[in-house]
Amino acid sequence: MSTEKSALWFRRFVPGAEEAPVRLVCLPHAGGSAAYFLPLAHALGARADVLAAQYPGRQDRRREPCIDEMGALADAAFDALRPYLDRPVLLFGHSMGATLGFELVRRIEAAPGPGAVRLFASGRRAPARAGGPLVHLLDDDRLLAELAGLDGTDARVLGDEELMRSALPAIRADYKAAETYRLTGDVRLDCPITALAGASDPKVTLDEVRAWEQHTTAGFELRVFEGGHFFLAGHREAIVRLVTERLHGQARI
């Protein structure tokens, strides 16, 4: 894949950060965009080269076909990520992005190079715990109501009906990719996993998040924060501290 195509998939918000010794690859939730991780990128500054994924079918990629199958999404994202695998990488995925991060680590570990250092799996049940409601099958109005109930979308955006309806194909495709994903076999990563959860998340239970432990041969930790599915916004400083510690190996588990 060309460098230009890779840059279309993965956005760098902090100029000069590409010289950092480690990369943090951020993977948004269903319906999300790279900009969701803009605050994290700015908070980390030049301590890590933060790359945030921009999936096809939204914003400046709205003319591209959406990808509604997790394996195909992971294959395409991994192809775009290849030029950035010249140094150790950590992956931070929220909700659907956590599942995508898991699949990307599998591909990274099978490829030559420094490999993956850690997976941060946020607000998502472990891959072996498939299930849950099929939101992607809801009609447009009920799908929009589902989004509004999670508090992950700016109220100004939710109030713009034309904008929200134009985004529905990408949102529906993301939900389908996440909800139809099924893991085959007992798959364990060779890198540690840090699982993050909202104490009152209506989408996933703490037991489902804790089950990420069975997917690693290395260390595991679970961090629980007050809040719902989008608890990240209310705990940005604590999460930046956690990521920074893991980036620089200042804490071991």
Side-chain angles (χ1 to χ4, degrees), residues 42-233:
H42 283 312
L44 290 172
R47 286 174 286 181
D49 183 19
V50 178
L51 302 174
Q54 182 81 324
Y55 307 138
R58 70 216 63 212
Q59 297 184 342
D60 59 339
R61 301 191 69 185
R62 63 186 178 278
R63 297 188 185 278
E64 299 178 53
C66 300
I67 302 177
D68 63 3
E69 194 276 319
M70 186 61 69
L73 183 62
D75 286 342
F78 176 68
D79 195 26
L81 191 60
R82 284 180 184 273
Y84 302 116
L85 298 179
D86 59 333
R87 67 198 68 180
V89 296
L90 296 86
L91 294 93
F92 192 117
H94 183 65
S95 197
M96 180 192 79
T99 305
L100 178 59
F102 175 77
E103 285 297 321
L104 282 175
V105 173
R106 294 179 67 184
R107 288 156 174 76
I108 291 169
E109 290 184 344
V117 175
R118 182 178 297 270
L119 172 64
F120 294 92
S122 171
R124 182 68 178 166
R125 63 175 57 87
R129 295 290 192 96
L134 298 180
V135 175
H136 76 278
L137 297 178
L138 298 177
D139 62 34
D140 289 354
D141 290 338
R142 291 169 67 197
L143 180 54
L144 289 173
E146 171 76 14
L147 295 175
L150 292 176
D151 295 328
T153 305
D154 190 305
R156 292 168 297 181
V157 176
L158 282 171
D160 189 331
E161 183 174 355
E162 182 178 354
L163 178 61
M164 286 302 300
R165 290 193 181 276
S166 69
L168 278 175
I171 295 169
R172 193 179 297 281
D174 288 353
Y175 269 99
K176 182 179 179 182
E179 293 171 349
T180 59
Y181 173 78
R182 295 293 182 272
L183 181 66
T184 302
D186 179 21
V187 180
R188 296 174 183 265
L189 306 180
D190 293 330
C191 72
I193 296 176
T194 296
L196 299 88
S200 55
D201 189 339
K203 301 293 290 184
V204 59
T205 69
L206 291 183
D207 282 344
E208 289 173 328
V209 178
R210 191 177 290 111
W212 279 97
E213 184 173 10
Q214 71 187 73
H215 291 300
T216 176
T217 61
F220 172 80
E221 61 180 340
L222 171 64
R223 295 297 183 93
V224 181
F225 299 85
E226 290 300 318
H229 192 60
F230 288 97
F231 61 90
L232 297 178

